[in-house]
């Protein structure tokens, strides 16, 4: 586990390295340990989202964790039929999003802020303890994390497109 914890500490993603070390069982696969750390609230930028949480309820905590321009996103309207539809305003841009769950919301937010260097990208780490585990990551660290064997987010391909070039 030392390599996982060392890598997370180097990227400044661990809130409490000692607590993290004490939480992880020996021999556990590192990608599973990452889920465990997120659920325990030990990752900077980590969010645990219960299955009953609707995308419109997740919007505030998620955009706050993303930071930067995402904090100014406004939900103008929410329609529930036939599918959940969010009307959002980001500066001069207004959009309508059909979002069935938290992962779909993450996709739309990452896409909306794809060129905003001050907004953290959101990785969908996967499911753990009946919750969706998310991690908001600084874009400058995203490329390094994607090369780590323990970092296997569900949306890895989409995140690769958000890595700053140059």
């Amino acid at each position: 586990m030392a390599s996982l914890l060392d890598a997370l500490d180097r990227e400044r993603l661990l809130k409490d390295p000692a607590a993290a070390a004490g939480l992880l069982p020996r021999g556990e696969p590192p990608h599973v340990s990452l889920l465990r750390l997120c659920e325990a609230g030990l990752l900077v930028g980590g969010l645990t989202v219960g299955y009953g949480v609707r995308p419109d309820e997740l919007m505030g905590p998620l955009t706050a964790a993303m930071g930067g321009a995402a904090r100014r996103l406004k939900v103008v309207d929410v329609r529930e039929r036939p599918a959940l539809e969010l009307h959002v305003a980001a500066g001069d841009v207004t959009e309508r999003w059909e979002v069935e769950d938290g992962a779909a919301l993450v996709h739309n937010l990452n896409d909306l802020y794809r060129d905003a260097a001050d907004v953290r990208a959101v990785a969908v780490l996967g499911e753990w303890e009946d919750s969706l585990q998310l991690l908001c990551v600084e874009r400058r660290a995203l490329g390094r994390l994607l090369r780590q064997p323990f970092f296997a987010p569900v949306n890895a391909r989409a995140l690769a497109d958000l890595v700053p070039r140059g």
Side-chain angles (χ1 to χ4, degrees), residues 13-162:
L13 291 173
L14 277 181
K15 290 181 180 177
D16 184 343
L23 180 72
L24 304 181
R26 287 197 181 286
E28 182 173 71
H31 69 280
V32 174
S33 293
L34 189 62
L35 292 168
R36 183 184 302 278
L37 291 169
C38 190
E39 191 273 332
L42 292 172
L43 295 180
V44 174
L47 293 167
T48 296
V49 183
Y51 287 127
V53 175
R54 294 168 25 134
D56 56 319
E57 297 168 329
L58 176 58
M59 182 73 79
L62 185 53
T63 55
M66 292 172 74
R71 289 184 172 184
R72 295 185 293 279
L73 181 74
K74 294 190 181 354
V75 177
V76 179
D77 194 15
V78 177
R79 308 271 171 137
E80 294 188 34
R81 297 197 178 153
L84 184 66
E85 183 180 88
L86 302 178
H87 297 207
V88 299
D92 295 338
V93 176
T94 58
E95 295 185 0
R96 293 176 187 221
W97 296 343
E98 277 192 26
V99 287
E100 70 251 9
D101 58 18
L105 178 63
V106 166
H107 170 79
N108 286 2
L109 287 168
N110 277 341
D111 188 53
L112 179 64
Y113 293 108
R114 74 174 31 262
D115 296 323
D118 66 331
V119 176
R120 292 176 198 89
V122 184
V124 179
L125 298 180
E127 299 172 5
W128 182 260
E129 297 293 328
D130 294 327
S131 297
L132 186 64
Q133 306 301 322
L134 306 176
L135 182 62
C136 297
V137 179
E138 297 286 343
R139 289 173 193 265
R140 69 181 185 284
L142 192 55
R144 290 188 303 272
L145 280 172
L146 286 167
R147 290 189 295 275
Q148 295 287 341
F150 65 81
F151 191 70
V154 174
N155 61 338
R157 183 172 290 150
L159 289 173
D161 292 337
L162 301 177

